[in-house]
Amino acid sequence: MIPKIIHFCWLSNDEFPPLIAKAMATWKEVLPDYEFVHWDTNKFDLESNTWVKQAFETKKYAFAADYIRLYAVYNYGGIYLDTDVEVLKSFNDLIERPYIAGAEIEGVIEAGVFGAEKHTPWVKQCLDYYEGKTFINSDGSYNTLTLPRIMMQQITQTHTVKELPPEQITVNDQIQNKDTLYLFPKDYFCAKNHGTGQLENTKNTYTIHHFAMSWVSKNHTFLPNLKRKLMAILGVGLINNLIKVLGLKKIRQSMSKK
């Protein structure tokens, strides 16, 4: 059984932006019987892990939080939430399971919402990725492989991943089929299209991940946000085709200058 603990990371000294404050307000409203554990530099010893220390010191807080969320869930059990996750309904009907996880896109885990019992093996397997690794590479660049890719890379070494709704997965299925990781469909924990920014929640939705990218500067979020707005207005296919055309044009222009 998963303990009623919500883990979250906020490593900077900045105040919560409005979207994040609004999302987090839903936690205590919907989950009044849960304990909330704030992981910051007082809670996690930066000197204990080189990856986290380097990511923190370069102000790449999201990458530091990638390790800390796995550490928290593995060592204490509970549910991890990104701070931009809005909670719509309680997890109480899910916590008798040994773990809960969902898809961000088909076949890829949602790393912003997941939970497990203490010392769950697949969580440790994900944590092991960071063993002996540094965030700053030898050439000075950063190791910015995203957490969903890391988790899938680690998990699929020993597990088959199956995406099924909870009514088709019993607690015993999860306990007995140790070589299978079951993911709930995207609308359970993600429920927002990362590309278009459009909400896709259903009657099944427990949480909405808003992908606020609060750790990224406004200069770097301008184009992704513009892309989402145009996709919402003109459609995904048209904008993707336009990007391909413009991309090819840019390549031709750069080639002609050589």
Side-chain angles (χ1 to χ4, degrees):
M1 182 171 180
I2 302 168
K4 289 186 174 183
I5 304 171
I6 300 296
H7 300 282
F8 70 97
C9 294
W10 189 261
L11 300 175
S12 78
N13 293 319
D14 299 334
E15 292 186 1
F16 296 134
L19 186 150
I20 284 177
K22 184 178 180 181
M24 292 180 69
T26 65
W27 300 2
K28 291 186 178 180
E29 179 182 337
V30 180
L31 307 169
D33 51 338
Y34 283 65
E35 176 187 356
F36 298 91
V37 179
H38 178 183
W39 288 85
D40 59 9
T41 55
N42 296 314
K43 179 72 174 173
F44 185 88
D45 180 9
L46 294 178
E47 299 298 328
S48 68
N49 184 272
T50 301
W51 170 284
V52 177
K53 187 173 187 291
Q54 290 183 345
F56 178 83
E57 289 177 344
T58 53
K59 297 186 178 181
K60 301 297 183 183
Y61 301 125
F63 292 96
D66 286 350
Y67 178 91
I68 293 172
R69 73 186 70 186
L70 294 166
Y71 175 91
V73 172
Y74 179 71
N75 285 287
Y76 297 92
I79 298 169
Y80 171 81
L81 296 180
D82 270 354
T83 52
D84 58 351
V85 169
E86 177 184 357
V87 177
L88 301 187
K89 59 182 180 179
S90 175
F91 301 113
N92 284 353
D93 60 338
L94 300 177
I95 59 173
E96 78 278 3
R97 298 173 179 274
Y99 66 85
I100 55 172
E104 178 183 322
I105 58 175
E106 186 176 349
V108 177
I109 196 167
E110 164 59 82
V113 184
F114 67 93
E117 296 174 335
K118 181 178 178 180
H119 294 163
T120 294
W122 67 262
V123 180
K124 178 62 162 57
Q125 200 168 338
C126 295
L127 197 59
D128 286 345
Y129 166 84
Y130 296 92
E131 190 171 331
K133 283 190 172 61
T134 57
F135 179 68
I136 302 175
N137 299 316
S138 57
D139 62 359
S141 63
Y142 299 148
N143 187 344
T144 56
L145 188 65
T146 60
L147 186 57
R149 289 177 64 189
I150 289 170
M151 293 178 75
M152 295 308 297
Q153 172 185 301
Q154 294 296 102
I155 291 166
T156 54
Q157 290 178 23
T158 54
H159 292 70
T160 299
V161 176
K162 289 186 178 180
E163 189 174 318
L164 291 169
E167 60 269 20
Q168 294 183 31
I169 311 165
T170 67
V171 174
N172 283 337
D173 286 336
Q174 290 183 271
I175 293 172
Q176 293 174 5
N177 300 335
K178 296 184 184 300
D179 58 350
T180 300
L181 182 79
Y182 294 101
L183 299 181
F184 298 164
K186 182 179 183 295
D187 61 326
Y188 279 79
F189 297 139
C190 191
K192 189 172 187 177
N193 188 304
H194 196 183
T196 66
Q198 296 298 296
L199 294 179
E200 298 176 342
N201 51 305
T202 68
K203 62 181 177 61
N204 302 320
T205 302
Y206 286 80
T207 62
I208 299 171
H209 192 176
H210 286 284
F211 300 108
M213 295 188 292
S214 58
W215 58 90
V216 182
S217 70
K218 290 183 178 179
N219 288 338
H220 287 87
T221 58
F222 173 76
L223 287 176
N225 287 337
L226 177 61
K227 176 185 171 185
R228 288 176 190 147
K229 288 178 182 178
L230 290 174
M231 282 179 167
I233 297 169
L234 301 175
V236 174
L238 177 60
I239 297 304
N240 280 337
N241 288 334
L242 184 61
I243 289 170
K244 288 180 182 178
V245 171
L246 293 175
L248 289 171
K249 187 181 290 185
K250 189 174 181 180
I251 292 169
R252 290 193 192 103
Q253 289 172 347
S254 65
M255 291 290 287
S256 65
K257 291 177 183 177
K258 294 182 179 180

